[in-house]
Amino acid sequence: MTGLRLGPLLRYVDGESAGTATIWVETDGPCTAEVRCEGGAYGSSRTFLIAGHHYALIPVTGLAPGTAAAYEVLLDERRVWPPEDSTLPPSVIRTPAAFSPETGTDPAADARRPGSTQSTAPGGAAPAPELRVSFGSCRWASAPVGEPDPVGPDALHTLAATLAADPGAVPPDVLLLLGDQVYADETSTATRRWLAERRDLSEPPGAEVADYEEYTRLYDESWSDPEVRWLLSTVPSCMIFDDHDVIDDWNTSASWVAEMRTKPWWRERILSGLMSYWVYQHLGNLSPAELATDKLYAAVRGEADGTGRLREFAAEADADPARVRWSYRRDFGRTRLLMVDSRAARVLEEGQREMLDAEEARWVRDQALTDPGERDHLLIGTSLPWLLPPLVHDAESWNAALARGERGKRWARFGEALRRGADLEHWAAFPTSFEKLAGLIAEAGEGPDAPATVCVLSGDVHHAYVAEPAWRTAQPRSRVVQLTCSPVHNSIPLSIRLGFRFGWSRVGRRLGRAFARHGRVDAPSVTWGKTGGPWFGNQLMTLTLRGRAARLSLVQAQIRDGEPETGARLVTVDERELATE
């Protein structure tokens, strides 16, 4: 009998007209995977084979708008989800509903709130539907049950446990995982033991991941925690990679890439990283319509073993990143999400460095500016923050100037060594791209049809903060905010806490400008300041959007005094209004 190895993950739910969803599973053998929902919605798909592992992305159709339908997963007509001994709530697909001004109701909001009744707004105006977007990045897998967790409680696990324990709790409508979903270069003690049984860890890459099979172990470890597995089965998710999904400082510079390509283990690592990302993360980011026209997906599914075709694709993507677009768009009613690849799409030649290649940049621009007047909120997801602490920004801009030769060859060599050693490779390290993004955000936020907010959602830097820019020329009509939230579950060394606090300080800002003057770096077109934070802990941010109103909350996973880690709870550490109707 075929069993369920991993999943189900609820990935896509139609945010426009409702009625469709996709659910991802990994099985332990070939089979037909089915999803059967209350109310009659249904989907099935035959598994495809990659490197000895079997997967299916099941398209579900027939979902009624504005409902919450419990579902089960069957493999060759045998139910495998939910587990027979599960004590967790049923996995549910919640579909949005188009707002009805005639009735003033939002059935999707009612479906999220058991026992609640939707009312009209003050003055009799009909309220708009609500959208809750939770996000964060940088997550080590939860510690095994009964073992101490040296970095504290996992915010994702704690969110899952909180929702499972309270039937009246309101779940997010979508979960954005903004990079470092797995750590190929920082493996757990259990994974290191498993790796040691496969190969000699004294040989490179040592205790890091070497191939596709070892990547599957990382995803097993990260997504098999029962509460997290349930959460991902019932809350749709959007994902994008960052460096640790492959290796620390991935694609820092052209010389870094050239050096890595001389290492005998690197080719297998990068191909396996891209292959596993496509299978475990990227496929679920796509809509059913996009999947229907995806030639690679069709080719992989059409072969008895799709490994060779997928490996060819990964090799092409590594050799010429411009041939592949990992960025994607999702619309949730009148909210648009642009998830931007700020790792694989880079142009790295000195003097031409860009965060995005020309084609990817054009695509992002087109998606940000299309449909004016039809969006109340524009969300730009990028694993790396656009606005950093001013000292860090100026240090990265200075370093980029040195590395391209602004102060001569000796300084250029120093700049490259410092760039790698200090991880100086955020948007500020690509000054032209920083300015292009500033210009795009300003253009998207101009005019009478501008969205109420433009929110840049990021992670990576192991702390959370809110920053707001001011343009040296005309200020956009939209409220623009940088919302950074990291980590979900990871270490926060004292050096990070002290360094980033200093980076936001007045003294740090003055030191940064001194760096910039030495590098002959022009002042950026925007200035910015921190309006919230920094906050340190395992944490998640949530945007609650209703019409043109926007509210932000930040929660941290904390342990109750005197109780074991199983008593972790979510504590709200900040709430603020970003926009009102």
Side-chain angles (χ1 to χ4, degrees):
M1 293 186 296
T2 305
L4 184 65
R5 174 170 173 166
L6 196 60
L9 274 73
L10 176 59
R11 295 303 314 275
Y12 178 93
V13 175
D14 192 334
E16 290 291 299
S17 58
T20 62
T22 60
I23 292 177
W24 180 97
V25 295
E26 180 180 356
T27 67
D28 61 16
C31 64
T32 297
E34 298 176 84
V35 171
R36 298 177 184 174
C37 303
E38 289 181 346
Y42 175 80
S44 70
S45 180
R46 190 71 187 170
T47 56
F48 59 91
L49 178 64
I50 300 292
H53 292 257
H54 304 266
Y55 308 95
L57 187 62
I58 308 163
V60 181
T61 60
L63 294 160
T67 60
Y71 72 87
E72 59 184 17
V73 177
L74 297 87
L75 304 180
D76 288 339
E77 301 187 350
R78 184 178 68 90
R79 196 186 85 164
V80 295
W81 185 268
E84 294 292 342
D85 57 352
S86 175
T87 60
L88 294 166
S91 296
V92 170
I93 304 174
R94 296 176 178 84
T95 53
F99 173 57
S100 172
E102 289 80 10
T103 63
T105 60
D106 173 15
D110 289 344
R112 289 197 302 271
R113 298 173 178 79
S116 69
T117 302
Q118 180 70 46
S119 61
T120 57
E130 182 178 276
L131 175 70
R132 290 169 51 85
V133 181
S134 293
F135 61 95
S137 79
C138 306
R139 179 177 177 264
W140 284 344
S142 299
V145 176
E147 292 187 14
D149 194 328
V151 299
D154 177 359
L156 199 64
H157 174 99
T158 307
L159 172 63
T162 300
L163 294 173
D166 182 2
V170 182
D173 294 294
V174 64
L175 180 65
L176 311 185
L177 301 177
L178 296 170
D180 296 343
Q181 276 69 262
V182 294
Y183 279 72
D185 53 348
E186 298 179 25
T187 54
S188 67
T189 300
T191 293
R192 288 194 295 273
R193 287 196 298 262
W194 181 83
L195 292 174
E197 294 176 356
R198 298 190 79 229
R199 55 182 171 83
D200 183 358
L201 299 191
S202 67
E203 297 292 330
E208 299 183 12
V209 164
D211 58 24
Y212 188 92
E213 183 65 27
E214 294 177 7
Y215 263 105
T216 69
R217 162 77 187 195
L218 296 185
Y219 285 102
D220 286 348
E221 188 175 50
S222 186
W223 293 350
S224 290
D225 172 85
E227 284 78 12
V228 169
R229 190 176 189 180
W230 169 79
L231 179 71
L232 294 176
S233 77
T234 202
V235 175
S237 54
C238 298
M239 306 181 191
I240 195 71
F241 46 35
D242 200 17
D243 56 344
H244 290 285
D245 291 88
V246 176
I247 194 170
D248 189 25
D249 301 337
W250 176 32
N251 282 346
T252 290
S253 66
S255 65
W256 180 94
V257 172
E259 181 180 318
M260 293 303 294
R261 286 177 174 169
T262 67
K263 300 181 184 295
W265 55 270
W266 172 246
R267 181 170 174 79
E268 189 60 39
R269 169 74 155 270
I270 185 62
L271 297 189
S272 296
L274 294 174
M275 290 169 66
S276 61
Y277 175 75
W278 186 85
V279 170
Y280 285 85
Q281 298 191 50
H282 179 68
L283 274 182
N285 294 330
L286 305 180
S287 69
E290 290 169 317
L291 291 167
T293 60
D294 190 294
K295 294 181 180 178
L296 175 61
Y297 184 54
V300 166
R301 295 181 68 213
E303 297 183 8
D305 185 342
T307 308
R309 182 64 191 91
L310 183 57
R311 189 176 178 86
E312 290 174 6
F313 164 82
E316 293 168 0
D318 177 51
D320 183 7
R323 298 182 64 176
V324 178
R325 174 170 57 79
W326 299 108
S327 301
Y328 60 95
R329 183 190 106 188
R330 292 283 301 275
D331 288 336
F332 304 92
R334 292 183 59 84
T335 295
R336 172 160 294 177
L337 167 68
L338 293 183
M339 196 72 92
V340 179
D341 164 23
S342 51
R343 277 292 168 188
R346 295 177 175 187
V347 177
L348 297 174
E349 289 74 17
E350 293 298 341
Q352 305 177 48
R353 283 171 60 87
E354 296 274 4
M355 186 67 84
L356 306 175
D357 64 65
E359 184 60 33
E360 192 116 359
R362 279 193 293 271
W363 182 88
V364 170
R365 177 178 176 81
D366 289 346
Q367 301 307 310
L369 299 179
T370 56
D371 306 322
E374 296 184 13
R375 304 298 165 204
D376 290 326
H377 304 278
L378 174 61
L379 311 181
I380 301 175
T382 165
S383 62
L384 304 177
W386 172 52
L387 302 179
L388 288 163
L391 170 58
V392 181
H393 175 95
D394 286 335
E396 294 201 6
S397 299
W398 163 72
N399 176 260
L402 296 186
R404 69 173 177 261
E406 189 68 35
R407 303 290 297 192
K409 292 182 179 180
R410 185 172 63 177
W411 277 106
R413 289 192 295 271
F414 169 76
E416 176 62 25
L418 181 61
R419 174 158 57 195
R420 296 195 202 183
D423 295 355
L424 304 180
E425 36 92 41
H426 297 79
W427 284 88
F430 297 80
T432 302
S433 296
F434 178 92
E435 290 298 331
K436 287 180 179 178
L437 183 55
L440 176 59
I441 289 171
E443 188 173 352
E446 291 175 346
D449 293 330
T453 67
V454 179
C455 301
V456 181
L457 314 180
S458 306
D460 180 68
V461 291
H462 288 216
H463 72 296
Y465 60 89
V466 180
E468 299 194 43
W471 274 254
R472 298 183 189 276
T473 54
Q475 186 75 7
R477 179 175 181 176
S478 302
R479 184 171 184 182
V480 179
V481 288
Q482 167 72 65
L483 305 176
T484 302
C485 184
S486 168
V488 173
H489 183 232
N490 208 312
S491 62
I492 310 169
L494 180 61
S495 59
I496 287 182
R497 297 172 185 260
L498 297 177
F500 280 114
R501 286 188 187 279
F502 181 67
W504 286 110
S505 69
R506 292 182 180 179
V507 175
R509 188 183 292 267
R510 289 197 293 269
L511 179 60
R513 292 314 303 159
F515 281 132
R517 286 192 295 272
H518 177 263
R520 301 167 182 161
V521 175
D522 294 334
S525 61
V526 295
T527 62
W528 61 94
K530 171 177 62 64
T531 58
W535 297 284
F536 298 93
N538 292 327
Q539 49 204 353
L540 288 164
M541 277 183 173
T542 298
L543 276 170
T544 302
L545 309 173
R546 182 184 287 276
R548 294 181 66 81
R551 187 173 74 254
L552 176 71
S553 66
L554 172 70
V555 296
Q556 292 182 343
Q558 299 180 5
I559 301 172
R560 296 182 178 92
D561 292 340
E563 293 191 16
E565 196 162 309
T566 53
R569 57 176 177 161
L570 293 178
V571 176
T572 301
V573 297
D574 187 68
E575 284 188 296
R576 62 185 59 209
E577 298 290 335
L578 300 180
T580 57
E581 282 285 4

